[in-house]
Amino acid sequence: MTTFSLDPGPDQIAVRDWLHGFAADVIRPAAAEWDEREETPWPIIQEAAKLGIYSLDFYAQQFFDPSGVGIPIAMEELFWGDAGIGLAITGTTLAAVAVLANGTDEQIGTWAPQMFGTPEDVKVAAFCSSEPDAGSDVSALRTRAVYDQAKDEWVLNGTKTWATNGGIAHVHVVVATVDPELGSRGQASFVVPPGTAGLSQGQKFKKHGIRASHTAEVVLDGVRVPGHCLLGGKEKLDARLARAREGAKGGGKNAAMATFEASRPAVGAQAIGIARAAYEVALDYAGTRVQFGKPIIENQGVAFQLADMKTRIDAARLLVWRASWMAVNNKPFTSAEGSMSKLYAGETAKYVTAQAMQILGGNGYTREYPVERMHRDSAIYTVFEGTSEIQRLVIARAISGAPIR
């Protein structure tokens, strides 16, 4: 076990500075263009791949960094550059985390590398959980997976929504219901290999923010995948379902929630990157904008806003780092520390970007300044991968032990 530290070591600092340079030199100059285009920024993903930033090896190194802060540092810097492009670069990792959280060593070795492709031929991956009638309520998933024993294949039918990279992905990871009577305990995750018949992209969403990241429906119509595409394997699934049917505790983690639990601190770090970027713009503007004969930062009302913004950003980072360190050291989230970090960081991003717009006044409302885009981008961080309300529910249940609904 590593000791929790607020002082990143030389390796973490080197990665931070490297990513900050990429964010400043490559991501930021292109942010406004790709936000307007609302298209996947393939050239920037490819540039990231050539530098080794968009690769399984890079994310694995950060994920297994014993300090626990490798992933949070990486996410904060990339999303400081721009949230839409940042998500286009990192969106594949959610599918990779799904395989890491639920798959066997052989499945991880087979599928994770294919999700990223190569610098010459980059690929992306998609994690498909939410459905039109099942967002926060993961127990309501209707996508079905039925086992064809004669062919050792699983047949998937249903529609997924809000899937990052959905339809354009090389590899899709799909959460489906195997036994509807068991609710969320009767679900499993499946890899849908590239080129599988029956999988198609549905509606592509035009979004308020993070517009350089592709979000779409994924339609599964008689999709057949080999038995080995069931993450964790059938023997493990059958044992888990049997325990669940007997009503035994420890029936196993829900496939979707296991992924979200692992990714929540990283999502919090993304929100911190957005908040920090907006705060820095506002701080610089307040020091140079002159009204009534003096810079506006000399007005207590503005200075106090900036003080609150900075305090919340640092507090959010501390929560994210704590949760990330706990996860790396296999410490249980007894008080839902992962949800705490995502909740507070997401709320902080919305607050800070709104305050930044206020400090910039009319300029903050225009697209001539980036805080308007940052505010739009921040809005999703109280919604996706668990709304703020769901995070509070998870925390409340953890600290009370009561079946709060």
Side-chain angles (χ1 to χ4, degrees):
M1 186 182 77
T2 60
T3 302
F4 180 66
S5 174
L6 298 176
D7 184 19
D11 291 343
Q12 290 80 26
I13 291 173
V15 169
R16 181 196 66 192
D17 293 347
W18 174 47
L19 292 177
H20 186 80
F22 179 79
D25 297 339
V26 180
I27 295 178
R28 277 209 168 176
E33 175 190 350
W34 290 100
D35 176 70
E36 292 287 346
R37 290 174 64 168
E38 298 190 55
E39 296 175 358
T40 301
W42 290 108
I44 298 178
I45 298 174
Q46 187 167 36
E47 185 68 21
K50 289 178 180 177
L51 294 173
I53 295 171
Y54 184 76
S55 71
L56 177 61
D57 287 346
F58 172 73
Y59 288 111
Q61 288 173 11
Q62 306 316 309
F63 188 81
F64 293 109
D65 184 331
S67 73
V69 299
I71 286 291
I73 286 174
M75 293 293 180
E76 181 175 336
E77 293 306 325
L78 291 173
F79 283 70
W80 173 89
D82 177 66
I85 294 176
L87 194 57
I89 294 172
T90 63
T92 291
T93 60
L94 187 58
V97 167
V99 174
L100 287 169
N102 300 293
T104 65
D105 289 344
E106 183 178 355
Q107 289 171 328
I108 294 169
T110 298
W111 297 113
Q114 293 188 44
M115 293 179 174
F116 293 87
T118 66
E120 295 73 34
D121 184 21
V122 293
K123 306 293 185 184
V124 294
F127 179 66
C128 307
S129 176
S130 293
E131 296 181 4
D133 295 318
S136 296
D137 182 9
V138 295
S139 65
L141 296 184
R142 294 182 180 178
T143 296
R144 285 296 309 275
V146 178
Y147 185 57
D148 183 342
Q149 188 169 358
K151 296 184 178 180
D152 184 27
E153 291 179 339
W154 289 91
V155 185
L156 308 179
N157 284 283
T159 299
K160 293 296 183 178
T161 194
W162 311 124
T164 298
N165 297 331
I168 66 170
H170 189 61
V171 176
H172 291 77
V173 178
V174 176
V175 181
T177 296
V178 177
D179 188 336
E181 293 183 2
L182 295 176
S184 62
R185 294 183 298 167
Q187 297 169 1
S189 291
F190 300 84
V191 170
V192 180
T196 301
L199 184 148
S200 62
Q201 178 183 310
Q203 175 188 5
K204 178 187 174 183
F205 295 104
K206 295 180 74 65
K207 305 188 300 293
H208 178 64
I210 56 168
R211 301 199 305 194
S213 173
H214 175 97
T215 310
E217 291 179 330
V218 174
V219 180
L220 304 148
D221 183 10
V223 171
R224 285 182 168 268
V225 299
H228 62 77
C229 288
L230 164 64
L231 291 179
K234 193 169 188 303
E235 183 177 340
K236 184 177 178 180
L237 172 64
D238 288 343
R240 175 163 64 82
L241 295 179
R243 290 196 301 271
R245 292 185 187 110
E246 292 168 4
K249 292 183 178 180
K253 286 185 176 181
N254 169 266
M257 297 314 297
T259 302
F260 292 138
E261 285 173 17
S263 65
R264 276 172 180 160
V267 175
Q270 297 172 7
I272 293 166
I274 300 169
R276 193 184 104 211
Y279 160 76
E280 289 175 1
V281 172
L283 179 64
D284 179 69
Y285 185 89
T288 57
R289 172 69 167 170
V290 175
Q291 289 289 280
F292 303 105
K294 62 181 180 180
I296 62 173
I297 199 171
E298 294 183 19
N299 294 304
Q300 204 175 78
V302 173
F304 281 12
Q305 282 180 297
L306 289 162
D308 285 343
M309 292 157 71
K310 174 62 172 171
T311 299
R312 293 196 187 192
I313 291 168
D314 282 16
R317 186 182 296 108
L318 288 172
L319 285 171
V320 165
W321 281 24
R322 178 183 69 168
S324 300
W325 175 83
M326 290 176 69
V328 164
N329 287 280
N330 296 312
K331 288 185 172 291
F333 289 163
T334 55
S335 297
E337 287 86 352
S339 288
M340 284 184 185
S341 69
K342 195 270 181 181
L343 167 66
Y344 195 75
E347 297 282 346
T348 293
K350 284 188 70 173
Y351 168 81
V352 169
T353 55
Q355 293 304 305
M357 287 181 65
Q358 189 70 22
I359 290 170
L360 268 67
N363 286 327
Y365 198 66
T366 71
R367 295 190 183 181
E368 296 301 312
Y369 287 80
V371 293
E372 171 272 338
R373 185 181 69 251
M374 294 167 183
H375 186 54
R376 287 189 286 106
D377 291 342
S378 74
I380 195 62
Y381 282 85
T382 59
V383 178
F384 73 173
E385 294 205 44
T387 64
S388 288
E389 292 75 19
I390 288 295
Q391 307 302 337
R392 290 185 173 99
L393 183 64
V394 172
I395 297 165
R397 286 175 176 172
I399 63 177
S400 69
I404 300 167
R405 301 192 66 81

